Amino acid sequence: MSTTLSRGQFDNRLLREYFLDDAYDEMFAVDGSIRPHYVALLDLLASLPREELQRRKQSADVSFLMQGITFTVYGREEGTERIFPYDLIPRLVTSAEWDHIERGLTQRITALNVFLHDVYHEGKILAQGVIPREIVYTCQHFRRQMRGLQVPRNVYVTVAGTDLLRLKSGEYVVLEDNLRVPSGVSYMLTNRRIMKRTLPYLFRNYGVRPIEQYPQALLSTLRSIAPEGRPEPTIVLLTPGVYNSAYFEHTYLARQMGIELVEGRDLVIHDNIVYMRTTGGLKRVDVIYRRVDDDFIDPLAFRPDSILGAAGLFNAYRAGNVTLANALGTGVADDKALYAYVPAIIRYYLNEEPILNNVETYILSDPAQRQHVLENLDKLVVKAVGESGGYGMLIGPQSTAAEREEFQRRIEANPRNYIAQPTLDFSRSPCLFDDGSVEPRHIDLRPYILFGDKVTIVPGGLTRVALRKGSLVVNSSQGGGSKDTWVLG
Amino acid sequence: MLSRVADSLYWTARYLERAEHAARLVDINVGLMLDLSRVSAERRWKRVLAALGHPRDIEWNNDVYSLVHTLVFDTNHPASVTACVIAARENARQIREEISTEQWQRLNHLFHDISRLRPLSPSDRQLSEFLPVLIDGVHLFQGVTDTTLSHGEGWQFLQVGRFLERATASATLLAVYHEDVFANMEETVDAYTYLEWIGLLRVCTAFEAYCKVYTADLTYERILEFLLLDAEFPHSIRFSIDRLHESLEAIEEESHGQNASELMRVSGKLKSSLGYAQVSEIRAQDPARYLRGILDQCRLIHDLIYEVYIQYSVQTALAM
């Protein structure tokens, strides 16, 4: 069922291609009326001539390029840099919606942190059978080296980026928790800066809650988890280096926080103390905001072929002389199979009902559930538990018979490695295209949660857009873009 | 400042200085070949190769344009002008957050310009477009560096790289000319010799500056004095070593705690020896030996910079 909007109220070309169907539309209610908080935005879009809209979009694009806000696609001699596609129409979140999201995320991060502590210490939740042991112990991100290790304030996940979707009913649900090294926050911050320059009047009239304090909040969160007895901790950001696709973000955050951006080769560990090599000699390091995966952090403790980490770092960490944020081994809590148990985790530790629900998820190591999934592959989405970035995925309704057979083989060979979820018709938001028309596209939302001495969530997040028509994949590697997210005051 | 960052800054500046010097050397020698000359092509280009420090795997092959093409464009040879620019950009890219946006854009611009102008096959026409663009690009980068980057430790490391490279290149060039041109000099200076001498001065962008000091009368002794001992000319060895020493002093002050006394002694000694030297003394002894001595001290300074600031041993650093 698809209806075209009546053209009466707005300029024909603006909404000519706008369609509504079962999916939740952020701008229009089911009956075609405009949601109240979008009226001023749509009025402005309708009042600006097409050329003016295009001009502003172009000037936003140029700003991104000139500021070097780019992804790097690396060749032999010449680095080519692409901008992350950007949509000019902001996504609006009402104050009431945000309060709900904020409470839900705070609850979730709190429970997951307690869970991580439990898993790496007594393991009560496993002993009581709330979660099957094999889900935890077969997880490729479980780090047995973390057993019994004490982390400051018992904080495992310092920075989380949780992906939310909006269902047909308008309910926000959690699609996945990113608890290892979530990225994208620099795009949230730069989207906002460019938006303010591109549509300043609109911005002022809407009363948008600020997000610019994020780097400062991150810095004080990191400071709060410094090892004891280090009142003026030296904090650094550890990057895999210039070839990493998120290198721009690493340099951006380091600059915004005023901390040193280091690579593994800058670090020296002696007597379980971490130092960085500076021209003024060795300088002690207390907190490492690491953007290097667990596997690569220390060739002595993990992958011996890694050149991105520093030898001896894990022992210094074990000795409590340095804090790593996030802690190692947090990936066990964002495993796609464990995800299905997060509501149970919240109930178990906090004795509360989850405020934000999960998407219904089938565990394929369970024979009954597996049977159901294999019979309905054409209707479901299948995901490999260890993959991210939109790879290793089967979207049933858009798949071919050959692809489904291939996934059936893979699932049967290694059921623990896959989960299945219903194909979600998640919400759509208006997007502006180069010809000046506005069309709806699917979006998600990734707010960033900081957890140190307290939980801090800056109001907003990265809204990712599946810019290709009909696409459900928002990842930048697969034709996704982003837009600014305005949480209204 | 992180040692790795200092290292990248140092090499960014060194590679750009090297690219500029090699470009001018090639450009001027291609120009000199247009005039009737007693110097055979073989002798000329062997001299150029010697002035570039005998780059590995590049030999005189009786074909000027293919040799020039290799020296300027061949990215398989790390000594080529293009390879130097790429290496400078790669170093700067590793420390993108430490240099100014203007510097990065300027370097990118230079890189894209030379990629655009790089010919597929040897031809002199493109060369005459390419080399001035390259030299301008390096000058613009230096201007932008001086006006947009704080003159703190990072800027000082760029200065160190630039002037150590310049002193090394000038000393090598003078030593080669001494052996090939001046050592077999005849009593009377004819038009052909004069042209070669102008060539030497122009490789160091020194012809006009020389004339202001000594008029257009070229003599060996004055050329040697000007390129070696002039205190004010930016391409003279003395000027380069003065700037190098100043920057090393500034770095020592900033990175207190490091034991730089040996480094400061060596660079201070070189600075003083150039400051108090007289060209007549140098001539009376052996100029080639004197120049080789400068090269040795430049190499020692490089090693000591590494030992003190970049690749110091952990044990030494912990003991301090």
Side-chain angles (χ1 to χ4, degrees):
Chain A
M1 176 194 75
S2 178
T3 56
T4 303
L5 285 169
S6 67
R7 298 176 171 182
Q9 200 169 353
F10 293 104
D11 181 357
N12 279 351
R13 73 171 159 84
L14 191 67
L15 297 175
R16 195 180 51 217
E17 301 288 334
Y18 210 96
F19 57 91
L20 293 175
D21 59 15
D22 283 354
Y24 185 89
D25 191 277
E26 298 281 346
M27 186 159 69
F28 291 103
V30 186
D31 61 4
S33 64
I34 305 168
R35 297 186 194 280
H37 54 292
Y38 272 92
V39 171
L41 176 61
L42 194 51
D43 275 345
L44 178 90
L45 291 176
S47 72
L48 287 175
R50 173 202 305 229
E51 296 72 28
E52 179 61 17
L53 274 177
Q54 280 168 331
R55 196 186 61 73
R56 294 202 185 187
K57 174 140 174 56
Q58 274 164 10
S59 95
D61 285 348
V62 169
S63 299
F64 272 102
L65 199 61
M66 295 314 279
Q67 294 177 43
I69 304 165
T70 50
F71 270 111
T72 305
V73 187
Y74 208 74
R76 194 171 71 90
E77 283 173 9
E78 184 177 355
T80 48
E81 289 162 13
R82 285 187 311 183
I83 65 167
F84 191 27
Y86 172 72
D87 182 64
L88 210 55
I89 304 181
R91 182 243 189 97
L92 307 182
V93 178
T94 64
S95 176
E97 283 167 16
W98 181 255
D99 287 346
H100 178 74
I101 291 172
E102 192 173 29
R103 280 187 297 116
L105 292 174
T106 304
Q107 178 196 50
R108 200 168 169 105
I109 196 84
T110 308
L112 287 170
N113 259 303
V114 182
F115 166 74
L116 281 162
H117 183 268
D118 188 20
V119 157
Y120 288 117
H121 290 83
E122 303 93 330
K124 284 183 292 195
I125 198 167
L126 306 178
Q128 294 179 22
V130 179
I131 294 174
R133 281 181 194 276
E134 58 271 23
I135 291 274
V136 170
Y137 294 140
T138 57
C139 173
Q140 57 168 312
H141 299 296
F142 178 76
R143 300 275 171 257
R144 59 182 172 75
Q145 295 91 332
M146 290 295 290
R147 277 308 257 288
L149 193 150
Q150 205 55 42
V151 304
R153 288 182 189 271
N154 288 333
V155 170
Y156 284 80
V157 179
T158 312
V159 183
T162 298
D163 291 340
L164 303 175
L165 298 180
R166 218 166 173 193
L167 303 179
K168 286 173 198 168
S169 61
E171 180 192 358
Y172 284 94
V173 292
V174 176
L175 179 68
E176 62 185 41
D177 303 283
N178 294 290
L179 307 177
R180 284 168 280 161
V181 282
S183 63
V185 75
S186 59
Y187 298 107
M188 169 182 93
L189 295 168
T190 47
N191 279 353
R192 173 62 54 87
R193 211 174 54 218
I194 283 169
M195 201 63 195
K196 276 186 178 167
R197 205 175 324 163
T198 316
L199 295 172
Y201 299 116
L202 184 67
F203 195 89
R204 203 173 54 210
N205 294 337
Y206 253 105
V208 182
R209 290 163 71 176
I211 55 170
E212 281 80 357
Q213 69 280 23
Y214 179 85
Q216 199 276 322
L218 174 58
L219 186 68
S220 52
T221 302
L222 292 167
R223 197 174 283 138
S224 76
I225 53 167
E228 274 181 45
R230 304 293 294 170
E232 294 290 323
T234 301
I235 301 166
V236 300
L237 193 157
L238 176 64
T239 173
V242 65
Y243 302 107
N244 188 277
S245 62
Y247 185 68
F248 162 72
E249 175 157 310
H250 306 161
T251 64
Y252 181 85
L253 287 176
R255 228 180 4 226
Q256 296 288 314
M257 288 191 281
I259 64 175
E260 208 71 75
L261 179 72
V262 304
E263 296 181 19
R265 56 192 160 128
D266 297 321
L267 299 179
V268 173
I269 291 95
H270 185 84
D271 272 349
N272 286 344
I273 307 277
V274 182
Y275 302 92
M276 57 181 165
R277 276 180 178 277
T278 75
T279 53
L282 297 179
K283 185 166 184 214
R284 181 163 175 177
V285 173
D286 302 297
V287 180
I288 301 178
Y289 176 40
R290 51 110 181 180
R291 299 291 298 257
V292 173
D293 290 337
D294 287 6
D295 273 340
F296 295 95
I297 203 103
D298 180 351
L300 295 179
F302 302 100
R303 279 179 60 157
D305 59 340
S306 169
I307 50 166
L308 303 177
L313 183 54
F314 185 72
N315 272 342
Y317 181 49
R318 249 199 114 75
N321 292 332
V322 69
T323 304
L324 296 179
N326 292 349
L328 300 178
T330 53
V332 72
D334 73 2
D335 182 276
K336 288 191 172 72
L338 186 103
Y339 160 86
Y341 293 92
V342 175
I345 289 173
I346 293 171
R347 290 188 198 101
Y348 179 79
Y349 294 111
L350 306 183
N351 207 14
E352 293 170 8
E353 277 304 302
I355 296 167
L356 290 170
N357 286 316
N358 264 10
V359 175
E360 185 185 2
T361 301
Y362 301 99
I363 304 289
L364 299 183
S365 44
D366 178 283
Q369 296 189 36
R370 181 166 69 240
Q371 190 56 33
H372 173 78
V373 167
L374 290 178
E375 282 164 11
N376 293 285
L377 273 183
D378 57 334
K379 302 185 191 72
L380 300 171
V381 175
V382 180
K383 296 174 179 171
V385 296
E387 301 272 355
S388 58
Y391 295 104
M393 230 167 115
L394 177 81
I395 301 179
Q398 296 175 3
S399 64
T400 64
E403 285 167 350
R404 288 195 294 275
E405 267 174 47
E406 169 64 22
F407 263 79
Q408 171 149 10
R409 258 199 310 279
R410 290 200 219 164
I411 291 167
E412 281 167 346
N414 186 1
R416 167 65 178 87
N417 201 36
Y418 294 91
I419 54 138
Q421 291 169 338
T423 309
L424 294 173
D425 219 358
F426 51 98
S427 71
R428 278 192 289 246
S429 161
C431 295
L432 178 70
F433 288 87
D434 285 344
D435 63 355
S437 69
V438 174
E439 292 180 43
R441 290 289 183 269
H442 290 290
I443 53 170
D444 75 352
L445 174 61
R446 176 181 288 185
Y448 294 89
I449 307 137
L450 300 174
F451 191 11
D453 49 352
K454 59 180 190 295
V455 176
T456 311
I457 310 174
V458 295
L462 182 65
T463 293
R464 295 185 298 175
V465 193
L467 285 170
R468 286 191 209 131
K469 196 167 191 168
S471 169
L472 293 167
V473 186
V474 296
N475 302 87
S476 54
S477 49
Q478 316 252 329
S482 74
K483 53 166 69 200
D484 197 10
T485 310
W486 293 3
V487 175
L488 307 179
Chain B
M1 166 168 287
L2 287 175
S3 300
R4 171 177 54 85
V5 171
D7 188 35
S8 290
L9 288 166
Y10 173 77
W11 280 107
T12 300
R14 272 201 90 146
Y15 277 123
L16 282 178
E17 182 68 27
R18 192 172 290 178
E20 185 199 335
H21 176 74
R24 208 178 300 104
L25 186 63
V26 169
D27 193 29
I28 283 168
N29 277 286
V30 168
L32 284 171
M33 284 175 50
L34 302 176
D35 285 300
L36 191 58
S37 169
R38 274 199 305 261
V39 181
S40 71
E42 177 174 1
R43 185 168 155 205
R44 175 178 308 286
W45 290 98
K46 281 188 167 170
R47 187 202 290 159
V48 168
L49 288 175
L52 291 173
H54 297 288
R56 184 188 305 234
D57 298 332
I58 304 182
E59 302 282 341
W60 167 246
N61 56 0
N62 283 312
D63 179 350
V64 173
Y65 286 112
S66 99
L67 177 69
V68 165
H69 187 78
T70 307
L71 285 176
V72 177
F73 301 112
D74 193 340
T75 49
N76 294 320
H77 289 285
S80 78
V81 172
T82 306
C84 285
V85 172
I86 290 171
R89 183 171 179 267
E90 274 310 295
N91 272 283
R93 181 190 189 75
Q94 312 273 344
I95 46 165
R96 177 67 187 80
E97 74 287 355
E98 298 284 339
I99 59 175
S100 68
T101 302
E102 289 82 357
Q103 282 178 290
W104 175 243
Q105 283 176 348
R106 205 14 78 197
L107 202 49
N108 254 336
H109 226 285
L110 173 60
F111 173 75
H112 290 302
D113 278 347
I114 65 170
S115 309
R116 183 168 50 81
L117 293 170
R118 200 161 107 195
L120 296 171
S121 64
S123 125
D124 60 335
R125 198 187 57 79
Q126 275 128 328
L127 199 66
S128 61
E129 280 177 39
F130 178 91
L131 293 171
V133 166
L134 181 122
I135 292 167
D136 278 356
V138 176
H139 288 167
L140 286 169
F141 177 80
Q142 281 163 356
V144 158
T145 297
D146 291 348
T147 49
T148 61
L149 185 69
S150 290
H151 289 206
E153 201 182 357
W155 184 82
Q156 303 289 2
F157 269 104
L158 284 166
Q159 290 283 97
V160 167
R162 175 179 167 191
F163 284 107
L164 193 57
E165 178 67 25
R166 188 175 290 178
T168 307
S170 299
T172 313
L173 182 73
L174 274 176
V176 168
Y177 265 78
H178 175 79
E179 280 155 24
D180 193 50
V181 182
F182 300 124
N184 324 309
M185 206 162 41
E186 292 172 22
E187 281 302 307
T188 51
V189 175
D190 60 12
Y192 298 114
T193 315
Y194 193 79
L195 204 58
E196 291 302 320
W197 288 10
I198 290 179
L200 169 64
L201 287 169
R202 285 181 52 216
V203 171
C204 301
T205 63
F207 182 61
E208 288 171 21
Y210 174 95
C211 291
K212 286 216 174 86
V213 178
Y214 303 102
T215 72
D217 284 336
L218 302 189
T219 71
Y220 171 51
E221 188 160 301
R222 285 176 180 175
I223 291 176
L224 193 62
E225 181 175 47
F226 191 65
L227 293 182
L228 192 53
L229 302 178
D230 193 89
E232 290 160 2
F233 178 62
H235 276 261
S236 85
I237 295 177
R238 178 176 169 194
F239 184 95
S240 303
I241 296 296
D242 284 353
R243 295 293 89 70
L244 170 71
H245 187 73
E246 276 171 19
S247 289
L248 288 175
E249 278 179 328
I251 291 168
E252 186 196 23
E253 201 171 312
E254 192 129 345
S255 62
H256 38 81
Q258 287 304 91
N259 183 4
S261 55
E262 176 63 6
L263 172 62
M264 296 320 295
R265 188 187 70 76
V266 173
S267 97
K269 185 180 153 202
L270 179 56
K271 174 185 147 85
S272 305
S273 91
L274 286 163
Y276 292 107
Q278 273 189 322
V279 72
S280 54
E281 281 171 13
I282 297 171
R283 262 203 94 180
Q285 292 154 10
D286 180 358
R289 217 176 119 205
Y290 188 79
L291 289 163
R292 275 198 301 274
I294 291 175
L295 286 172
D296 286 342
Q297 291 174 78
C298 286
R299 268 192 292 273
L300 181 59
I301 290 171
H302 166 89
D303 290 346
L304 288 168
I305 290 170
Y306 262 63
E307 213 170 278
V308 178
Y309 297 114
I310 295 170
Q311 280 182 333
Y312 48 81
S313 84
V314 176
Q315 269 63 31
T316 337
L318 284 168
M320 289 182 57

